[in-house]
């Protein structure tokens, strides 16, 4: 069964509403801060899998819409990146970037050594490493063809997509429990929420808050987002096959940064931060809902046992790294807890998952301006550049072993 754009949007919204209902009514989901899109989307994926096995039905959703929502989300990150605000990241941003790069090295080391121990070609360890976990579906798809050409791997693209999907789910599932464990260690209790707060620095922290949004601010923001997608995709097409080739979402993010800071510092135009945050959060939730609705769990079930073992080891490694490295390096305080939850999101899945993890924590335990400043910039921008460098280095190592 195929669903067009309107049907996909309708089903995604129903999945999100289901997620809100489940998290509100099921104590364990609330207790461990499971993001609503993950809760609703995973239930939808299970139902779709049951229908596939019992009735032979396969569902196809509008993946172009999913991609568009991802690009809108990253564009909103760029539009929120006021240089004056980014300077505030300072030393903590550099430290978190080093910590995130350390995880990339650890993931590839675990992947390659585990693959060799399980009598697999070490390149399979890269696929089940930072290529698809920190890198996500986009990076995994980009590198799968390279591995197929260099090492003759069959079904590399399918395997990369399955590993990235596994990571997307795992990143959304373990972020909450890791945060709950760390919150107990710092003795942080839930904080009362003030629905009248309208702090422009609370980027994506409290998406359900009532913000000062009007018709003009929405039109201005939609125009800027549309220009980000237009210019970003045009630059991406021009850069393909050159030394400047980057994932499309990075070009959209760059365009957003340029637009925002040109308007703010040259034209003295005040962008509507609250509207940017609101539309960005909507895009984030729709992206996650469609991504999880589109899960084909039977593809994960068909993974070779050794690859599944490697992925389980990677999940355990991520949780341990967040608790013992990320949390301690970032100061062992509440901000460090939220940063650790976010790191679980993009360390295994994607930046939207990281933001959803952090939202799930801050909605109950109070805002974390530092985390929502640092994680989107590192997870959506810097980490992909560092990941590419690390993958190329490990490819040289794999060639040597092969």
């Amino acid at each position: 069964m195929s669903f067009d754009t309107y049907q996909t949007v309708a089903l995604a919204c129903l999945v999100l509403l289901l997620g809100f209902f489940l998290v509100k009514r099921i104590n364990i989901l609330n207790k461990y801060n499971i993001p609503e899109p993950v809760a609703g989307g995973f239930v939808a994926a299970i139902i779709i899998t049951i229908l596939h096995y019992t009735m032979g039905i396969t569902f196809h959703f509008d993946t172009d819409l999913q991609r568009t929502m991802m690009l809108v989300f990253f564009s909103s990150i760029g539009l929120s990146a006021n240089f004056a605000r980014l300077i505030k990241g300072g030393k903590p941003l550099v430290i978190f970037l080093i910590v995130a790069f350390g995880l990339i090295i650890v993931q590839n080391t675990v992947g390659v050594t585990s693959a060799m121990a399980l009598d697999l070609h070490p390149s399979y360890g890269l696929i089940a490493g930072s290529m698809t976990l920190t890198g996500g579906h986009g990076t995994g798809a980009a590198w799968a063809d390279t591995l197929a050409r260099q090492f003759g791997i069959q079904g590399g693209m399918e395997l990369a997509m399955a590993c990235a999907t596994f990571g997307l789910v795992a990143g959304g599932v373990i972020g909450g429990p890791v945060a709950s464990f760390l919150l107990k260690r710092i003795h942080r209790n839930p904080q009362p929420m003030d629905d009248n707060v309208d702090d422009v620095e609370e980027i994506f922290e409290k998406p359900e808050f009532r913000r000062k949004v009007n018709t003009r601010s929405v039109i201005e923001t939609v125009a800027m987002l549309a220009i980000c997608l237009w210019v970003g995709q045009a630059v991406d097409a021009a850069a393909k096959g050159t030394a400047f080739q980057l994932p499309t979402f990075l070009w959209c993010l760059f365009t957003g940064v340029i637009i925002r800071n040109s308007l703010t510092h040259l034209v003295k135009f005040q962008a509507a931060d609250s509207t940017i945050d609101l539309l960005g959060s909507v895009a984030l939730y729709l992206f996650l809902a469609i991504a999880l609705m589109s899960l084909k769990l039977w593809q994960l079930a068909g993974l070779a046992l050794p690859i599944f073992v490697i992925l389980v080891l990677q999940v355990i490694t991520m949780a341990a790294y967040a608790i013992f490295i990320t949390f301690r390096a970032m100061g062992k305080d509440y901000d460090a807890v939220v940063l650790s939850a976010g790191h679980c999101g993009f360390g295994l899945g994607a930046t939207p998952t990281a933001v959803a993890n952090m939202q799930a924590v801050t909605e109950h335990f109070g805002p974390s301006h530092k985390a929502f400043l640092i994680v989107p910039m590192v997870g959506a921008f810097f980490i992909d550049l560092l990941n590419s460098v690390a993958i190329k280095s490990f490819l040289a190592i794999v060639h040597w072993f092969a």
Side-chain angles (χ1 to χ4, degrees):
M1 295 180 64
S2 297
F3 297 90
D4 62 21
T5 301
Y6 305 122
Q7 294 166 336
T8 300
V9 170
L11 290 173
C13 290
L14 291 175
V15 166
L16 287 173
L17 293 174
L18 173 63
F20 284 116
F21 175 81
L22 292 175
V23 171
K24 182 177 181 180
R25 296 299 181 91
I26 301 177
N27 185 55
I28 191 171
L29 298 179
N30 198 339
K31 178 180 178 182
Y32 289 103
N33 305 301
I34 303 301
E36 290 86 351
V38 172
F42 195 59
V43 170
I46 292 174
I47 294 173
I48 289 172
T49 300
I50 293 173
L51 292 174
H52 173 76
Y53 279 119
T54 59
M55 304 179 65
I57 300 174
T58 301
F59 294 87
H60 300 281
F61 299 101
D62 185 353
T63 54
D64 288 338
L65 177 63
Q66 176 185 337
R67 179 176 180 273
T68 299
M69 290 299 101
M70 180 186 71
L71 296 179
V72 169
F73 169 71
F74 282 111
S75 297
S76 71
I77 293 291
L79 291 174
S80 298
N82 189 331
F83 284 147
R85 182 186 293 168
L86 295 181
I87 294 174
K88 298 179 182 178
K91 183 178 177 181
L93 187 147
V94 175
I95 294 174
F96 189 71
L97 185 59
I98 294 172
V99 169
F101 183 64
L103 176 67
I104 291 174
I105 303 302
V106 170
Q107 284 181 334
N108 288 328
T109 301
V110 169
V112 171
T113 55
S114 298
M116 296 175 65
L118 294 167
D119 200 26
L120 292 175
H121 191 281
S123 59
Y124 283 101
L126 287 181
I127 294 178
S130 73
M131 188 179 296
T132 58
L133 300 179
T134 293
H137 289 81
T139 303
W143 284 98
D145 288 336
T146 301
L147 291 181
R149 290 194 305 269
Q150 293 186 5
F151 303 109
I153 293 177
Q154 299 298 319
M157 181 66 71
E158 291 76 10
L159 182 60
M161 294 302 96
C163 290
T165 300
F166 181 96
L168 186 69
V169 175
V173 169
I174 72 166
V178 165
S180 296
F181 175 80
L182 294 174
L183 287 165
K184 291 179 181 177
R185 293 187 57 176
I186 65 171
H187 307 292
R188 178 85 172 194
N189 296 317
Q191 304 294 306
M193 309 301 279
D194 181 4
D195 286 354
N196 294 318
V197 172
D198 190 26
D199 186 346
V200 297
E201 300 219 359
E202 293 181 358
I203 308 175
F204 304 112
E205 291 183 50
K206 300 169 186 176
E208 78 282 32
F209 273 16
R210 297 169 186 166
R211 299 180 184 272
K212 296 177 182 178
V213 177
N214 55 45
T215 303
R216 178 171 177 173
S217 70
V218 171
I219 292 175
E220 290 172 349
T221 303
V222 169
M224 290 189 290
L225 290 170
I227 292 172
C228 287
L229 269 62
W230 180 12
V231 174
Q233 293 186 92
V235 175
D236 175 65
K240 283 194 181 300
T242 71
F244 298 99
Q245 182 171 342
L246 293 170
T248 308
F249 69 81
L250 283 180
W251 290 120
C252 293
L253 187 148
F254 289 150
T255 304
V257 171
I258 294 171
I259 291 175
R260 169 59 188 266
N261 289 278
S262 297
L263 291 175
T264 300
H265 301 292
L266 298 180
V267 186
K268 304 302 180 183
F269 173 79
Q270 184 62 47
D273 288 281
S274 57
T275 308
I276 294 171
D277 300 345
L278 178 63
L279 295 182
S281 292
V282 171
L284 161 68
Y285 272 43
L286 286 173
F287 164 75
L288 288 174
I290 299 170
L292 291 166
M293 281 164 46
S294 302
L295 282 179
K296 293 179 173 60
L297 295 179
W298 54 92
Q299 291 182 351
L300 296 182
L303 280 175
L305 180 60
I307 297 296
F308 181 74
V309 170
I310 295 174
L311 291 173
V312 171
L313 288 175
Q314 295 285 21
V315 173
I316 295 171
T317 299
M318 177 71 258
Y321 194 92
I323 292 170
F324 295 107
I325 304 297
T326 308
F327 175 66
R328 295 184 179 185
M330 298 313 298
K332 297 188 289 187
D333 56 9
Y334 175 64
D335 287 322
V337 173
V338 182
L339 283 163
S340 297
H343 199 187
C344 289
F346 80 77
L348 287 178
T351 302
T353 309
V355 175
N357 282 352
M358 295 191 299
Q359 284 179 349
V361 177
T362 57
E363 285 171 7
H364 293 89
F365 295 91
S368 174
H369 303 323
K370 180 191 292 186
F372 278 85
L373 173 66
I374 293 175
V375 168
M377 286 302 299
V378 172
F381 175 45
F382 295 109
I383 204 64
D384 282 290
L385 303 178
L386 294 177
N387 197 18
S388 295
V389 172
I391 291 172
K392 290 180 180 179
S393 300
F394 272 86
L395 275 176
I397 296 174
V398 168
H399 272 293
W400 185 76
F401 277 110

